[in-house]
Amino acid sequence: MEKEQNLPRPTVEQLNEYDNLSAALSSSDLQGAAYDDTINRINQLISSFDWNNYEFTDPVTGLKGVKNAAGQILVPAQFEGFTILGDHHVFNLKHLAAQKNGKFGVVKADGKGETLCDFRFDTLIWDAYTGLYHGRWDGIKEKFGYVTIDGKVFIPNVITKFYEPWNDFILLESDGKVGALDVSTMCFVLPQYDKADWEPDTNVIFYKDGVAGYVIEETVEFVPVDQFEEDEKYDDVYVFNTNINI
């Protein structure tokens, strides 16, 4: 079995080249051969270097910081540790979850490490799909909630499990009940239903006390299936679904 090859890290110049080429791709003026050449060079850079950010330690204080792939400081060495460090290609994050005095907060990954979210969480794990952090707090280890970059609680810490999404629909679970988060609209309903049918490209059917119904996203109202399909007032109402919302 062939041993995995360790790639070198890019220089600052190569990192800047990657950034400039990536920015050029968004230009409407870049077409034809110029577009193809840009794509090829970006792919060459990606495959030739290790783009991961990495942790470093201040030898005097023992505190840790984060550098990008080229060794430039993203977060100064003022913290006890981090969760996801990101990289300069797939997860080029402008913020990182850092630990201080045993608690986690969020800091800018801009070289200065300015605090975006106070250090009051037991843990924070970045969820790139939702653009939120999975957070645990108040010493509750079995459940988590969703937290914004600036530390606002988006969904309280009552969730025990989340499922892989169907087209921006994420099923949430807590104590045997289910709820949902729609990433396309950022509407959610807390787990309070007995179960849910959530096949691809369909409206999600929730069940409560033996009754099947839909949940309206804007109001989180539970409407039995027959009532929803027969009452004209629900004709243009948006319910939780697994459709691709464009």
Side-chain angles (χ1 to χ4, degrees), residues 81-150:
F82 303 85
T83 50
I84 297 174
L85 299 178
D87 59 59
H88 202 76
H89 169 46
V90 180
F91 296 116
N92 188 12
L93 305 176
K94 304 302 181 185
H95 51 84
L96 297 173
Q99 187 178 34
K100 185 177 183 180
N101 297 324
K103 295 291 186 179
F104 281 90
V106 181
V107 298
K108 286 185 178 180
D110 62 352
K112 298 179 181 178
E114 176 187 346
T115 299
L116 295 173
C117 160
D118 291 339
F119 297 85
R120 57 189 179 86
F121 294 93
D122 298 328
T123 187
L124 288 172
I125 305 292
W126 177 242
D127 179 0
Y129 192 86
T130 63
L132 299 166
Y133 280 93
H134 289 174
R136 300 184 191 275
W137 60 93
D138 292 340
I140 301 174
K141 297 181 179 180
E142 299 80 11
K143 297 180 180 181
F144 71 93
Y146 286 82
V147 180
T148 65
I149 292 169
D150 56 0

Side-chain angles (χ1 to χ4, degrees), residues 14 21 27 33 65-66 73 83 102 114-115 120 138 163 169 174 178 189-191 193 204 209 222 230 237-238 243:
Q14 288 163 332
L21 290 172
S27 172
V66 177
I73 293 177
T83 50
E114 176 187 346
T115 299
R120 57 189 179 86
D138 292 340
Y163 291 77
F169 174 86
S174 180
V178 297
V189 56
L190 292 175
Y193 297 98
V204 178
D209 299 327
F222 176 78
E230 293 172 2
V237 170
Y238 195 80
N243 298 309

Side-chain angles (χ1 to χ4, degrees), residues 5-166:
Q5 182 179 3
N6 292 323
L7 295 175
R9 294 188 178 278
T11 64
V12 172
E13 290 73 22
Q14 288 163 332
L15 185 144
N16 290 337
E17 180 187 6
Y18 172 88
D19 286 346
N20 291 334
L21 290 172
S22 296
L25 283 181
S26 63
S27 172
S28 59
D29 297 329
L30 195 64
Q31 300 176 359
Y35 181 88
D36 293 339
D37 289 344
T38 300
I39 288 288
N40 291 336
R41 177 54 180 162
I42 288 176
N43 289 335
Q44 181 183 34
L45 288 169
I46 290 171
S47 62
S48 299
F49 299 102
D50 178 357
W51 295 92
N52 290 304
N53 301 333
Y54 62 96
E55 207 172 71
F56 71 98
T57 303
D58 185 320
V60 176
T61 65
L63 295 176
K64 299 176 181 180
V66 177
K67 293 183 180 181
N68 68 16
Q72 297 171 311
I73 293 177
L74 296 176
V75 180
Q78 300 174 351
F79 305 98
E80 295 159 7
F82 303 85
T83 50
I84 297 174
L85 299 178
D87 59 59
H88 202 76
H89 169 46
V90 180
F91 296 116
N92 188 12
L93 305 176
K94 304 302 181 185
H95 51 84
L96 297 173
Q99 187 178 34
K100 185 177 183 180
N101 297 324
K103 295 291 186 179
F104 281 90
V106 181
V107 298
K108 286 185 178 180
D110 62 352
K112 298 179 181 178
E114 176 187 346
T115 299
L116 295 173
C117 160
D118 291 339
F119 297 85
R120 57 189 179 86
F121 294 93
D122 298 328
T123 187
L124 288 172
I125 305 292
W126 177 242
D127 179 0
Y129 192 86
T130 63
L132 299 166
Y133 280 93
H134 289 174
R136 300 184 191 275
W137 60 93
D138 292 340
I140 301 174
K141 297 181 179 180
E142 299 80 11
K143 297 180 180 181
F144 71 93
Y146 286 82
V147 180
T148 65
I149 292 169
D150 56 0
K152 295 178 181 177
V153 173
F154 183 75
I155 298 179
N157 56 338
V158 299
I159 309 301
T160 54
K161 183 179 181 180
F162 71 99
Y163 291 77
E164 290 298 316
W166 279 116

